[in-house]
Amino acid sequence: MTTNQIQRQQIAERIDQEVMKRLDSGATDFDVFAGMADHMGDFKNLIDTSAPGEMDRLCAQFEGLYRYAKILEDVARGIEAGDIHVP
C-alpha cells in the first residue's frame, strides 16, 4: 500500500499524541519504547514512504514523533554496539 502525504501526516500525529501522552504521565524512554510496540509498523511505514526531507519536517513539527525516533535510534545504536542484547 502506498501511503500519501495526508496519511503520513496523520500517522505522525497519532504517534506524536501517543508519545506525548506517555511522557506527560511521567513515562521514561524505556516506557515509551515498550508502550509503543503497536506503533512500530506505522513508524516504519512512515520512514519507508516519506519523501526526502519529509521525516525531518515531521519530526520538527511533532515533538513526540521526534522523541520516538530518537528512542528507536538509541535502541538500534545500543544493539549494534552490543550494549543491548537481543535473543
Side-chain angles (χ1 to χ4, degrees), residues 8-87:
R8 289 190 299 272
Q9 180 83 17
Q10 292 169 340
I11 291 168
E13 288 174 8
R14 278 195 312 273
I15 292 172
D16 176 70
Q17 290 170 357
E18 287 297 319
V19 170
M20 294 310 295
K21 180 172 60 174
R22 285 169 168 76
L23 292 174
D24 289 346
S25 69
T28 65
D29 285 354
F30 178 80
D31 297 330
V32 171
F33 175 73
M36 294 291 293
D38 291 346
H39 296 275
M40 244 184 240
D42 281 342
F43 185 80
K44 181 170 180 355
N45 182 20
L46 194 59
I47 289 174
D48 290 346
T49 62
S50 290
E54 188 174 9
M55 278 300 292
D56 290 337
R57 181 186 61 76
L58 289 169
C59 283
Q61 183 178 359
F62 297 109
E63 179 184 348
L65 177 66
Y66 173 79
R67 183 79 176 265
Y68 187 53
K70 294 308 279 179
I71 290 168
L72 293 177
E73 182 179 65
D74 290 346
V75 168
R77 189 175 297 121
I79 291 169
E80 184 177 337
D83 297 332
I84 298 173
H85 302 283
V86 293

